[in-house]
Structure formats: C-alpha cells, structure tokens
Amino acid sequence: MAKVALNSKFEQRSGLRWLWLAVIIFMVDYLSKIIIMGTMTANGSTPIAVLPFMNLYYVHNTGAAFSFLSAEGGWQRWLFTLIAVVVCGFLSYQMRQASITKTAHNIGCALIIGGALGNLFDRINYGFVVDFLDFYYKDHHFAIFNIADVAICCGAILYILSSVNKSRG
C-alpha cells in the first residue's frame, strides 16, 4: 500500500521541474551568440567552414523563421516578442499541469521555452536575432539559424509526438 501511495505522490509532482533544461538551452544559446558577435562581423565576414555541409556565418535576422517579415519596418519585433511571451506562458502552464513523469512533453516544452527566451533576449536587447549556423548542400543553402532555433524545432517535434501519443493512449 505504501508503495502505491509513494508512486501517486511522485506522479503528482509538476513538470516545471524540467525548466532547468530551458535555462541550459538559454545559456548555451547566449554564450554561442556572444562568441559569434565577438569574433565575426555581421553580413560581412567570410563564412567559416566547420563541416563539409556547415559554415558559421553571422547575420542579423529581424524577422522570424526563414527571415519571415524581416523586410518590414520594425513592428514585427514587438509581434514576435509578444508571441514568445505568450508561448512561454502557455507552455509553462502546461508543464505546471503535467506530471514530472511526462518526460517527452516536459522536455519538448522546456526546449521550446529555452529557445524562445534565447531569441526573445536578442530581440529585446539588439532589435534582431543573432543567427550563424549555415547548413548547405552543394550550392543550396538552408536558412541561417542558431542554437535557440534548433531547440525550438526539436522541442516542437517532441511536443507534437507526445500529444499524438497521448491522444492514442
């Protein structure tokens, strides 16, 4: 009987305990951007080949993914700031409601929150997001992005998969 009660109590703990991962993502993203900004010139440096399919190339992105809305007059900065705050609040609420044992869900939320906060920090402090990961195949380059973007994409995949599995079960 005591073992069942202990398991019930364990499962009732909040998924917010996974927020340490968001802090790590934020810090790794922040440190990588500080290094890039300190060693490269935006939009002017020669790309640094890291792998046969990846360069480091520092750019300022005033838009969203794939530079969406980057040519606008600046209002998009505040729209994306608002979206990041709302998403972080919503996902934090979901983590608060979820058990700590909902690992994929909580990790997905934490990755998205950490990445969103990394890009939010850039938007508020610089007015743009620091991007520097340039993946390519032959002459075809993918959009340039950063560690925060990678975390958001991985987190979104985990979040969706955990939602699909939850609806099946």
Side-chain angles (χ1 to χ4, degrees), residues 25-26 28-43 45 55-67 70 77 114-134 143-152:
I25 294 298
F26 176 82
V28 169
D29 180 65
Y30 174 76
L31 292 172
S32 68
K33 290 172 180 176
I34 291 297
I35 291 167
I36 292 297
M37 290 188 299
T39 58
M40 299 181 79
T41 303
N43 301 318
S45 296
N55 294 325
L56 296 180
Y57 186 71
Y58 172 27
V59 297
H60 294 170
N61 182 359
T62 57
F66 303 101
S67 296
S70 63
R77 172 185 181 188
L117 290 176
N119 286 340
L120 176 64
F121 181 87
D122 287 3
R123 283 187 206 291
I124 290 171
N125 287 299
Y126 313 126
F128 54 83
V129 172
V130 174
D131 286 337
F132 56 90
L133 297 173
D134 174 28
I144 299 173
F145 54 99
N146 58 43
I147 304 295
D149 298 334
V150 172
I152 291 168

Tab-separated table of all heavy atoms in Angstrom, residues 25-26 28-43 45 55-67 70 77 114-134 143-152:
chain	number	residue	atom	x	y	z
A	25	ILE	N	19.520	25.568	-22.189
A	25	ILE	CA	19.384	25.958	-23.602
A	25	ILE	C	19.625	27.452	-23.752
A	25	ILE	O	20.364	27.901	-24.641
A	25	ILE	CB	17.993	25.567	-24.161
A	25	ILE	CG1	17.840	24.049	-24.213
A	25	ILE	CG2	17.732	26.209	-25.524
A	25	ILE	CD1	18.831	23.335	-25.115
A	26	PHE	N	19.007	28.245	-22.892
A	26	PHE	CA	19.188	29.693	-22.947
A	26	PHE	C	20.666	30.059	-22.808
A	26	PHE	O	21.186	30.874	-23.572
A	26	PHE	CB	18.358	30.385	-21.859
A	26	PHE	CG	18.577	31.866	-21.811
A	26	PHE	CD1	17.903	32.710	-22.677
A	26	PHE	CD2	19.493	32.416	-20.923
A	26	PHE	CE1	18.118	34.078	-22.649
A	26	PHE	CE2	19.716	33.785	-20.889
A	26	PHE	CZ	19.031	34.622	-21.755
A	28	VAL	N	23.448	28.175	-23.293
A	28	VAL	CA	24.268	27.715	-24.432
A	28	VAL	C	24.027	28.622	-25.636
A	28	VAL	O	24.971	29.024	-26.330
A	28	VAL	CB	23.963	26.234	-24.763
A	28	VAL	CG1	24.584	25.824	-26.084
A	28	VAL	CG2	24.438	25.332	-23.639
A	29	ASP	N	22.774	28.964	-25.887
A	29	ASP	CA	22.438	29.868	-26.998
A	29	ASP	C	23.102	31.229	-26.784
A	29	ASP	O	23.746	31.758	-27.686
A	29	ASP	CB	20.918	30.008	-27.097
A	29	ASP	CG	20.499	30.932	-28.219
A	29	ASP	OD1	20.746	30.584	-29.392
A	29	ASP	OD2	19.924	32.005	-27.922
A	30	TYR	N	22.958	31.769	-25.579
A	30	TYR	CA	23.527	33.086	-25.263
A	30	TYR	C	25.048	33.083	-25.443
A	30	TYR	O	25.606	33.968	-26.095
A	30	TYR	CB	23.150	33.485	-23.826
A	30	TYR	CG	23.801	34.749	-23.363
A	30	TYR	CD1	23.342	35.986	-23.794
A	30	TYR	CD2	24.897	34.714	-22.498
A	30	TYR	CE1	23.949	37.154	-23.370
A	30	TYR	CE2	25.508	35.875	-22.070
A	30	TYR	CZ	25.032	37.098	-22.508
A	30	TYR	OH	25.641	38.253	-22.100
A	31	LEU	N	25.715	32.096	-24.876
A	31	LEU	CA	27.175	32.035	-24.976
A	31	LEU	C	27.642	31.863	-26.419
A	31	LEU	O	28.632	32.485	-26.839
A	31	LEU	CB	27.723	30.922	-24.090
A	31	LEU	CG	27.574	31.149	-22.584
A	31	LEU	CD1	27.977	29.896	-21.803
A	31	LEU	CD2	28.382	32.356	-22.132
A	32	SER	N	26.939	31.035	-27.192
A	32	SER	CA	27.328	30.851	-28.594
A	32	SER	C	27.185	32.160	-29.371
A	32	SER	O	28.035	32.507	-30.195
A	32	SER	CB	26.500	29.739	-29.247
A	32	SER	OG	25.138	30.114	-29.371
A	33	LYS	N	26.140	32.923	-29.085
A	33	LYS	CA	25.925	34.200	-29.777
A	33	LYS	C	26.964	35.239	-29.362
A	33	LYS	O	27.433	36.017	-30.192
A	33	LYS	CB	24.509	34.712	-29.516
A	33	LYS	CG	23.448	33.863	-30.207
A	33	LYS	CD	22.063	34.279	-29.771
A	33	LYS	CE	20.989	33.450	-30.441
A	33	LYS	NZ	19.640	33.791	-29.935
A	34	ILE	N	27.336	35.248	-28.087
A	34	ILE	CA	28.378	36.174	-27.612
A	34	ILE	C	29.693	35.877	-28.324
A	34	ILE	O	30.401	36.795	-28.759
A	34	ILE	CB	28.541	36.061	-26.073
A	34	ILE	CG1	27.317	36.613	-25.360
A	34	ILE	CG2	29.810	36.746	-25.586
A	34	ILE	CD1	27.057	38.089	-25.585
A	35	ILE	N	30.022	34.603	-28.461
A	35	ILE	CA	31.260	34.224	-29.155
A	35	ILE	C	31.208	34.667	-30.617
A	35	ILE	O	32.169	35.254	-31.132
A	35	ILE	CB	31.508	32.701	-29.037
A	35	ILE	CG1	31.855	32.347	-27.590
A	35	ILE	CG2	32.606	32.242	-29.994
A	35	ILE	CD1	31.825	30.857	-27.287
A	36	ILE	N	30.093	34.399	-31.289
A	36	ILE	CA	29.954	34.785	-32.698
A	36	ILE	C	30.045	36.298	-32.854
A	36	ILE	O	30.766	36.810	-33.719
A	36	ILE	CB	28.628	34.239	-33.285
A	36	ILE	CG1	28.667	32.714	-33.376
A	36	ILE	CG2	28.311	34.881	-34.634
A	36	ILE	CD1	29.730	32.146	-34.296
A	37	MET	N	29.315	37.046	-32.023
A	37	MET	CA	29.325	38.510	-32.135
A	37	MET	C	30.708	39.087	-31.823
A	37	MET	O	31.079	40.126	-32.372
A	37	MET	CB	28.277	39.133	-31.211
A	37	MET	CG	26.857	38.866	-31.668
A	37	MET	SD	25.586	39.779	-30.744
A	37	MET	CE	25.820	39.173	-29.088
A	38	GLY	N	31.459	38.414	-30.971
A	38	GLY	CA	32.792	38.895	-30.612
A	38	GLY	C	33.876	38.551	-31.610
A	38	GLY	O	34.955	39.143	-31.579
A	39	THR	N	33.608	37.594	-32.486
A	39	THR	CA	34.659	37.145	-33.405
A	39	THR	C	34.352	37.352	-34.880
A	39	THR	O	35.256	37.228	-35.706
A	39	THR	CB	34.957	35.641	-33.186
A	39	THR	OG1	33.754	34.899	-33.391
A	39	THR	CG2	35.487	35.390	-31.787
A	40	MET	N	33.087	37.669	-35.209
A	40	MET	CA	32.721	37.810	-36.618
A	40	MET	C	32.009	39.143	-36.850
A	40	MET	O	31.493	39.747	-35.910
A	40	MET	CB	31.805	36.658	-37.060
A	40	MET	CG	32.449	35.285	-36.941
A	40	MET	SD	31.365	33.941	-37.490
A	40	MET	CE	31.574	34.089	-39.257
A	41	THR	N	31.975	39.569	-38.090
A	41	THR	CA	31.249	40.773	-38.486
A	41	THR	C	29.959	40.336	-39.171
A	41	THR	O	29.983	39.492	-40.070
A	41	THR	CB	32.084	41.613	-39.469
A	41	THR	OG1	33.326	41.929	-38.845
A	41	THR	CG2	31.359	42.880	-39.856
A	42	ALA	N	28.853	40.914	-38.763
A	42	ALA	CA	27.561	40.540	-39.333
A	42	ALA	C	27.507	40.850	-40.820
A	42	ALA	O	27.911	41.931	-41.247
A	42	ALA	CB	26.428	41.260	-38.616
A	43	ASN	N	27.024	39.902	-41.578
A	43	ASN	CA	26.792	40.025	-43.020
A	43	ASN	C	28.037	40.408	-43.813
A	43	ASN	O	27.933	40.768	-44.967
A	43	ASN	CB	25.684	41.042	-43.315
A	43	ASN	CG	24.384	40.667	-42.658
A	43	ASN	OD1	23.991	39.514	-42.643
A	43	ASN	ND2	23.717	41.650	-42.084
A	45	SER	N	31.491	38.972	-42.857
A	45	SER	CA	32.586	38.026	-42.671
A	45	SER	C	32.555	36.966	-43.759
A	45	SER	O	31.513	36.628	-44.294
A	45	SER	CB	32.466	37.326	-41.320
A	45	SER	OG	32.594	38.232	-40.276
A	55	ASN	N	28.687	25.944	-42.420
A	55	ASN	CA	29.540	27.103	-42.189
A	55	ASN	C	29.030	27.872	-40.975
A	55	ASN	O	27.853	27.760	-40.614
A	55	ASN	CB	29.470	28.081	-43.377
A	55	ASN	CG	30.052	27.524	-44.643
A	55	ASN	OD1	31.020	26.785	-44.620
A	55	ASN	ND2	29.450	27.887	-45.766
A	56	LEU	N	29.904	28.671	-40.411
A	56	LEU	CA	29.477	29.709	-39.485
A	56	LEU	C	29.440	31.002	-40.280
A	56	LEU	O	30.425	31.362	-40.935
A	56	LEU	CB	30.456	29.846	-38.313
A	56	LEU	CG	30.580	28.646	-37.388
A	56	LEU	CD1	31.588	28.929	-36.280
A	56	LEU	CD2	29.235	28.270	-36.781
A	57	TYR	N	28.307	31.663	-40.278
A	57	TYR	CA	28.147	32.924	-40.988
A	57	TYR	C	27.170	33.778	-40.191
A	57	TYR	O	26.001	33.431	-40.047
A	57	TYR	CB	27.642	32.700	-42.416
A	57	TYR	CG	27.597	33.967	-43.227
A	57	TYR	CD1	28.776	34.577	-43.639
A	57	TYR	CD2	26.393	34.554	-43.565
A	57	TYR	CE1	28.753	35.748	-44.377
A	57	TYR	CE2	26.362	35.717	-44.315
A	57	TYR	CZ	27.540	36.312	-44.708
A	57	TYR	OH	27.523	37.476	-45.435
A	58	TYR	N	27.640	34.872	-39.654
A	58	TYR	CA	26.894	35.716	-38.732
A	58	TYR	C	25.983	36.680	-39.482
A	58	TYR	O	26.440	37.460	-40.318
A	58	TYR	CB	27.898	36.451	-37.851
A	58	TYR	CG	27.382	37.531	-36.934
A	58	TYR	CD1	26.086	37.535	-36.438
A	58	TYR	CD2	28.230	38.553	-36.526
A	58	TYR	CE1	25.663	38.527	-35.575
A	58	TYR	CE2	27.819	39.544	-35.660
A	58	TYR	CZ	26.520	39.533	-35.200
A	58	TYR	OH	26.094	40.510	-34.343
A	59	VAL	N	24.682	36.605	-39.180
A	59	VAL	CA	23.700	37.530	-39.766
A	59	VAL	C	22.754	38.041	-38.675
A	59	VAL	O	22.564	37.408	-37.640
A	59	VAL	CB	22.868	36.874	-40.897
A	59	VAL	CG1	23.749	36.462	-42.063
A	59	VAL	CG2	22.064	35.711	-40.396
A	60	HIS	N	22.160	39.199	-38.949
A	60	HIS	CA	21.104	39.750	-38.102
A	60	HIS	C	19.771	39.412	-38.756
A	60	HIS	O	19.553	39.728	-39.923
A	60	HIS	CB	21.222	41.271	-37.995
A	60	HIS	CG	22.443	41.724	-37.290
A	60	HIS	ND1	22.840	43.040	-37.269
A	60	HIS	CD2	23.373	41.063	-36.561
A	60	HIS	CE1	23.946	43.169	-36.572
A	60	HIS	NE2	24.296	41.976	-36.140
A	61	ASN	N	18.880	38.787	-37.999
A	61	ASN	CA	17.564	38.419	-38.517
A	61	ASN	C	16.513	39.227	-37.772
A	61	ASN	O	16.274	39.002	-36.589
A	61	ASN	CB	17.329	36.913	-38.329
A	61	ASN	CG	16.009	36.450	-38.888
A	61	ASN	OD1	15.218	37.233	-39.408
A	61	ASN	ND2	15.749	35.166	-38.776
A	62	THR	N	15.889	40.177	-38.462
A	62	THR	CA	14.845	40.990	-37.840
A	62	THR	C	13.475	40.340	-37.976
A	62	THR	O	12.502	40.832	-37.423
A	62	THR	CB	14.802	42.405	-38.451
A	62	THR	OG1	14.603	42.286	-39.867
A	62	THR	CG2	16.091	43.157	-38.166
A	63	GLY	N	13.419	39.232	-38.702
A	63	GLY	CA	12.151	38.523	-38.886
A	63	GLY	C	12.063	37.296	-38.004
A	63	GLY	O	12.669	37.223	-36.939
A	64	ALA	N	11.305	36.331	-38.498
A	64	ALA	CA	11.146	35.056	-37.786
A	64	ALA	C	11.842	33.987	-38.609
A	64	ALA	O	12.772	34.277	-39.356
A	64	ALA	CB	9.667	34.746	-37.590
A	65	ALA	N	11.359	32.752	-38.498
A	65	ALA	CA	11.952	31.635	-39.239
A	65	ALA	C	12.003	31.955	-40.734
A	65	ALA	O	11.062	32.508	-41.295
A	65	ALA	CB	11.134	30.372	-39.005
A	66	PHE	N	13.119	31.614	-41.338
A	66	PHE	CA	13.361	31.860	-42.764
A	66	PHE	C	13.259	33.351	-43.101
A	66	PHE	O	12.856	33.729	-44.188
A	66	PHE	CB	12.405	31.039	-43.637
A	66	PHE	CG	12.498	29.572	-43.379
A	66	PHE	CD1	11.548	28.934	-42.586
A	66	PHE	CD2	13.545	28.830	-43.885
A	66	PHE	CE1	11.630	27.577	-42.329
A	66	PHE	CE2	13.636	27.463	-43.639
A	66	PHE	CZ	12.676	26.845	-42.844
A	67	SER	N	13.574	34.210	-42.124
A	67	SER	CA	13.530	35.669	-42.263
A	67	SER	C	12.132	36.191	-42.593
A	67	SER	O	11.978	37.263	-43.166
A	67	SER	CB	14.543	36.145	-43.305
A	67	SER	OG	15.848	35.851	-42.876
A	70	SER	N	11.074	39.962	-42.287
A	70	SER	CA	12.287	40.718	-41.958
A	70	SER	C	12.367	42.052	-42.698
A	70	SER	O	13.063	42.961	-42.247
A	70	SER	CB	13.538	39.895	-42.244
A	70	SER	OG	13.637	39.609	-43.613
A	77	ARG	N	9.185	43.115	-34.679
A	77	ARG	CA	9.989	42.852	-33.478
A	77	ARG	C	9.065	42.677	-32.273
A	77	ARG	O	9.240	41.758	-31.474
A	77	ARG	CB	10.952	44.010	-33.256
A	77	ARG	CG	11.698	43.961	-31.951
A	77	ARG	CD	12.532	45.217	-31.783
A	77	ARG	NE	13.282	45.213	-30.554
A	77	ARG	CZ	13.962	46.265	-30.119
A	77	ARG	NH1	13.986	47.378	-30.814
A	77	ARG	NH2	14.616	46.196	-28.984
A	114	GLY	N	13.254	27.476	-23.661
A	114	GLY	CA	14.647	27.922	-23.677
A	114	GLY	C	15.018	28.616	-24.974
A	114	GLY	O	15.665	29.665	-24.975
A	115	GLY	N	14.602	28.032	-26.099
A	115	GLY	CA	14.882	28.642	-27.395
A	115	GLY	C	14.148	29.961	-27.587
A	115	GLY	O	14.715	30.943	-28.080
A	116	ALA	N	12.879	29.991	-27.192
A	116	ALA	CA	12.093	31.221	-27.325
A	116	ALA	C	12.693	32.340	-26.479
A	116	ALA	O	12.779	33.495	-26.920
A	116	ALA	CB	10.640	30.965	-26.923
A	117	LEU	N	13.146	32.009	-25.267
A	117	LEU	CA	13.765	33.024	-24.410
A	117	LEU	C	15.094	33.506	-24.983
A	117	LEU	O	15.441	34.686	-24.869
A	117	LEU	CB	13.948	32.487	-22.990
A	117	LEU	CG	12.663	32.281	-22.196
A	117	LEU	CD1	12.973	31.644	-20.841
A	117	LEU	CD2	11.891	33.576	-22.027
A	118	GLY	N	15.849	32.601	-25.617
A	118	GLY	CA	17.106	32.996	-26.251
A	118	GLY	C	16.883	34.011	-27.354
A	118	GLY	O	17.561	35.048	-27.429
A	119	ASN	N	15.911	33.745	-28.217
A	119	ASN	CA	15.617	34.681	-29.302
A	119	ASN	C	14.920	35.945	-28.790
A	119	ASN	O	15.144	37.036	-29.307
A	119	ASN	CB	14.780	33.997	-30.387
A	119	ASN	CG	15.607	33.032	-31.212
A	119	ASN	OD1	16.840	33.116	-31.258
A	119	ASN	ND2	14.948	32.096	-31.869
A	120	LEU	N	14.099	35.793	-27.748
A	120	LEU	CA	13.447	36.951	-27.129
A	120	LEU	C	14.492	37.909	-26.557
A	120	LEU	O	14.394	39.132	-26.727
A	120	LEU	CB	12.485	36.483	-26.035
A	120	LEU	CG	11.795	37.561	-25.214
A	120	LEU	CD1	10.873	38.398	-26.084
A	120	LEU	CD2	11.000	36.918	-24.078
A	121	PHE	N	15.487	37.356	-25.886
A	121	PHE	CA	16.579	38.165	-25.336
A	121	PHE	C	17.230	39.002	-26.440
A	121	PHE	O	17.464	40.200	-26.270
A	121	PHE	CB	17.606	37.256	-24.661
A	121	PHE	CG	18.757	38.000	-24.048
A	121	PHE	CD1	18.672	38.483	-22.755
A	121	PHE	CD2	19.930	38.212	-24.769
A	121	PHE	CE1	19.741	39.178	-22.182
A	121	PHE	CE2	20.993	38.904	-24.214
A	121	PHE	CZ	20.904	39.396	-22.918
A	122	ASP	N	17.510	38.373	-27.576
A	122	ASP	CA	18.114	39.090	-28.705
A	122	ASP	C	17.204	40.213	-29.196
A	122	ASP	O	17.654	41.335	-29.424
A	122	ASP	CB	18.382	38.138	-29.874
A	122	ASP	CG	19.533	37.193	-29.642
A	122	ASP	OD1	20.127	37.211	-28.548
A	122	ASP	OD2	19.821	36.412	-30.564
A	123	ARG	N	15.938	39.908	-29.409
A	123	ARG	CA	15.001	40.903	-29.937
A	123	ARG	C	14.908	42.125	-29.026
A	123	ARG	O	14.905	43.262	-29.498
A	123	ARG	CB	13.614	40.303	-30.100
A	123	ARG	CG	13.472	39.436	-31.296
A	123	ARG	CD	12.015	39.003	-31.500
A	123	ARG	NE	11.961	37.758	-32.222
A	123	ARG	CZ	12.292	37.605	-33.487
A	123	ARG	NH1	12.685	38.632	-34.188
A	123	ARG	NH2	12.217	36.424	-34.069
A	124	ILE	N	14.830	41.873	-27.728
A	124	ILE	CA	14.701	42.980	-26.782
A	124	ILE	C	15.994	43.786	-26.698
A	124	ILE	O	15.973	45.016	-26.713
A	124	ILE	CB	14.276	42.463	-25.386
A	124	ILE	CG1	12.829	41.976	-25.446
A	124	ILE	CG2	14.445	43.541	-24.326
A	124	ILE	CD1	12.369	41.255	-24.197
A	125	ASN	N	17.138	43.105	-26.629
A	125	ASN	CA	18.419	43.796	-26.436
A	125	ASN	C	19.043	44.368	-27.703
A	125	ASN	O	19.711	45.390	-27.645
A	125	ASN	CB	19.421	42.868	-25.752
A	125	ASN	CG	19.069	42.683	-24.301
A	125	ASN	OD1	19.040	43.641	-23.547
A	125	ASN	ND2	18.781	41.462	-23.913
A	126	TYR	N	18.852	43.695	-28.839
A	126	TYR	CA	19.522	44.119	-30.062
A	126	TYR	C	18.569	44.587	-31.163
A	126	TYR	O	18.998	45.239	-32.109
A	126	TYR	CB	20.380	42.983	-30.638
A	126	TYR	CG	21.254	42.279	-29.635
A	126	TYR	CD1	21.200	40.897	-29.490
A	126	TYR	CD2	22.148	42.982	-28.826
A	126	TYR	CE1	22.004	40.228	-28.578
A	126	TYR	CE2	22.948	42.328	-27.905
A	126	TYR	CZ	22.872	40.955	-27.785
A	126	TYR	OH	23.662	40.300	-26.879
A	127	GLY	N	17.313	44.193	-31.075
A	127	GLY	CA	16.359	44.519	-32.135
A	127	GLY	C	16.376	43.516	-33.275
A	127	GLY	O	15.699	43.686	-34.285
A	128	PHE	N	17.144	42.463	-33.137
A	128	PHE	CA	17.255	41.398	-34.134
A	128	PHE	C	17.709	40.136	-33.424
A	128	PHE	O	18.136	40.179	-32.278
A	128	PHE	CB	18.252	41.770	-35.243
A	128	PHE	CG	19.610	42.152	-34.726
A	128	PHE	CD1	20.560	41.181	-34.410
A	128	PHE	CD2	19.947	43.486	-34.525
A	128	PHE	CE1	21.813	41.527	-33.912
A	128	PHE	CE2	21.206	43.843	-34.033
A	128	PHE	CZ	22.131	42.866	-33.729
A	129	VAL	N	17.632	39.018	-34.137
A	129	VAL	CA	18.117	37.744	-33.609
A	129	VAL	C	19.446	37.430	-34.278
A	129	VAL	O	19.607	37.613	-35.484
A	129	VAL	CB	17.090	36.607	-33.862
A	129	VAL	CG1	17.655	35.250	-33.485
A	129	VAL	CG2	15.802	36.886	-33.102
A	130	VAL	N	20.397	36.967	-33.491
A	130	VAL	CA	21.713	36.583	-33.991
A	130	VAL	C	21.622	35.159	-34.542
A	130	VAL	O	21.334	34.224	-33.803
A	130	VAL	CB	22.768	36.654	-32.863
A	130	VAL	CG1	24.111	36.104	-33.339
A	130	VAL	CG2	22.894	38.073	-32.343
A	131	ASP	N	21.847	35.009	-35.837
A	131	ASP	CA	21.867	33.694	-36.482
A	131	ASP	C	23.266	33.456	-37.043
A	131	ASP	O	23.938	34.390	-37.482
A	131	ASP	CB	20.833	33.633	-37.605
A	131	ASP	CG	19.399	33.538	-37.098
A	131	ASP	OD1	19.198	33.099	-35.952
A	131	ASP	OD2	18.485	33.889	-37.860
A	132	PHE	N	23.680	32.179	-37.062
A	132	PHE	CA	25.051	31.912	-37.510
A	132	PHE	C	25.288	30.502	-38.037
A	132	PHE	O	26.366	30.210	-38.531
A	132	PHE	CB	26.052	32.196	-36.383
A	132	PHE	CG	25.781	31.425	-35.123
A	132	PHE	CD1	26.341	30.182	-34.920
A	132	PHE	CD2	24.945	31.954	-34.145
A	132	PHE	CE1	26.089	29.462	-33.758
A	132	PHE	CE2	24.694	31.256	-32.977
A	132	PHE	CZ	25.262	29.999	-32.783
A	133	LEU	N	24.334	29.605	-37.955
A	133	LEU	CA	24.526	28.236	-38.448
A	133	LEU	C	24.014	28.146	-39.884
A	133	LEU	O	22.817	28.257	-40.137
A	133	LEU	CB	23.792	27.234	-37.556
A	133	LEU	CG	24.285	27.154	-36.114
A	133	LEU	CD1	23.362	26.266	-35.294
A	133	LEU	CD2	25.710	26.642	-36.060
A	134	ASP	N	24.929	27.958	-40.812
A	134	ASP	CA	24.616	27.931	-42.243
A	134	ASP	C	24.850	26.514	-42.778
A	134	ASP	O	25.985	26.124	-43.036
A	134	ASP	CB	25.515	28.941	-42.969
A	134	ASP	CG	25.378	28.884	-44.478
A	134	ASP	OD1	24.305	28.507	-44.977
A	134	ASP	OD2	26.368	29.244	-45.161
A	143	ALA	N	18.166	28.067	-44.591
A	143	ALA	CA	18.123	29.312	-43.829
A	143	ALA	C	19.180	29.286	-42.724
A	143	ALA	O	19.444	28.242	-42.134
A	143	ALA	CB	16.743	29.502	-43.217
A	144	ILE	N	19.777	30.426	-42.444
A	144	ILE	CA	20.777	30.516	-41.374
A	144	ILE	C	20.019	30.632	-40.047
A	144	ILE	O	19.063	31.392	-39.936
A	144	ILE	CB	21.711	31.713	-41.608
A	144	ILE	CG1	22.449	31.522	-42.946
A	144	ILE	CG2	22.703	31.860	-40.465
A	144	ILE	CD1	23.288	32.699	-43.382
A	145	PHE	N	20.449	29.879	-39.049
A	145	PHE	CA	19.727	29.857	-37.781
A	145	PHE	C	20.694	29.771	-36.620
A	145	PHE	O	21.893	29.984	-36.790
A	145	PHE	CB	18.682	28.733	-37.757
A	145	PHE	CG	19.229	27.374	-38.084
A	145	PHE	CD1	19.536	26.477	-37.083
A	145	PHE	CD2	19.417	26.977	-39.401
A	145	PHE	CE1	20.030	25.219	-37.369
A	145	PHE	CE2	19.908	25.717	-39.700
A	145	PHE	CZ	20.219	24.840	-38.681
A	146	ASN	N	20.200	29.488	-35.409
A	146	ASN	CA	21.033	29.478	-34.200
A	146	ASN	C	20.639	28.316	-33.290
A	146	ASN	O	19.750	27.530	-33.615
A	146	ASN	CB	20.933	30.826	-33.478
A	146	ASN	CG	19.508	31.155	-33.095
A	146	ASN	OD1	18.753	30.311	-32.625
A	146	ASN	ND2	19.112	32.400	-33.294
A	147	ILE	N	21.291	28.227	-32.141
A	147	ILE	CA	21.029	27.146	-31.176
A	147	ILE	C	19.586	27.205	-30.671
A	147	ILE	O	18.934	26.174	-30.510
A	147	ILE	CB	22.018	27.228	-29.983
A	147	ILE	CG1	23.473	27.187	-30.451
A	147	ILE	CG2	21.720	26.153	-28.939
A	147	ILE	CD1	23.911	25.906	-31.104
A	148	ALA	N	19.085	28.404	-30.421
A	148	ALA	CA	17.700	28.557	-29.950
A	148	ALA	C	16.717	27.970	-30.960
A	148	ALA	O	15.751	27.292	-30.580
A	148	ALA	CB	17.386	30.033	-29.693
A	149	ASP	N	16.962	28.226	-32.239
A	149	ASP	CA	16.079	27.696	-33.284
A	149	ASP	C	16.106	26.177	-33.321
A	149	ASP	O	15.073	25.536	-33.512
A	149	ASP	CB	16.476	28.252	-34.652
A	149	ASP	CG	16.352	29.764	-34.736
A	149	ASP	OD1	15.539	30.341	-33.994
A	149	ASP	OD2	17.083	30.367	-35.554
A	150	VAL	N	17.278	25.592	-33.128
A	150	VAL	CA	17.402	24.131	-33.095
A	150	VAL	C	16.587	23.575	-31.923
A	150	VAL	O	15.850	22.598	-32.057
A	150	VAL	CB	18.888	23.695	-32.982
A	150	VAL	CG1	19.006	22.196	-32.758
A	150	VAL	CG2	19.663	24.123	-34.219
A	151	ALA	N	16.713	24.221	-30.762
A	151	ALA	CA	15.966	23.776	-29.577
A	151	ALA	C	14.462	23.887	-29.810
A	151	ALA	O	13.705	22.979	-29.442
A	151	ALA	CB	16.384	24.599	-28.358
A	152	ILE	N	14.018	24.979	-30.422
A	152	ILE	CA	12.587	25.158	-30.699
A	152	ILE	C	12.085	24.060	-31.629
A	152	ILE	O	11.029	23.467	-31.389
A	152	ILE	CB	12.310	26.556	-31.279
A	152	ILE	CG1	12.548	27.626	-30.203
A	152	ILE	CG2	10.886	26.649	-31.840
A	152	ILE	CD1	12.575	29.051	-30.737
